[in-house]
Amino acid sequence: IVKTKKEDLAQILNISLRTLYRQLDALYKEGLLSSNKGKILITEEQYYKIQIILSEFFWSIFQTHSEPE
């Protein structure tokens, strides 16, 4: 459970509250986050999905920057 208020989270991320809600909605639709009584939840399965996505993302950046010129 993320214990930070959504207003504070938006401020920490330096985005508007509206943008935060749009991004959260996208993550809910992708199945990467859940919600219960207004609280943001990340299940163990979602955590592992997020880990894989981030690993692939950073691996692709690493590959792009490590190719010889």
Side-chain angles (χ1 to χ4, degrees), residues 6-69:
K6 290 178 183 154
E7 293 83 5
D8 295 335
L9 185 57
Q11 188 175 12
I12 290 166
L13 296 171
N14 197 30
I15 60 176
S16 70
L17 190 56
R18 184 176 181 181
T19 299
L20 177 67
Y21 279 107
R22 281 196 302 259
Q23 296 303 315
L24 288 174
D25 285 343
L27 293 169
Y28 293 138
K29 287 178 185 173
E30 290 287 323
L32 298 174
L33 295 179
S34 300
S35 177
N36 185 14
K37 298 180 182 177
K39 306 287 184 196
I40 300 169
L41 305 173
I42 301 173
T43 65
E44 189 173 346
E45 181 181 342
Q46 290 164 330
Y47 173 81
Y48 289 121
K49 283 182 186 178
I50 292 167
Q51 238 183 352
I52 290 168
I53 290 168
L54 289 176
S55 294
E56 290 171 353
F57 173 75
F58 286 115
W59 179 251
S60 69
I61 290 173
F62 173 76
Q63 291 293 1
T64 302
H65 292 291
S66 65
E67 292 176 359
E69 296 182 21

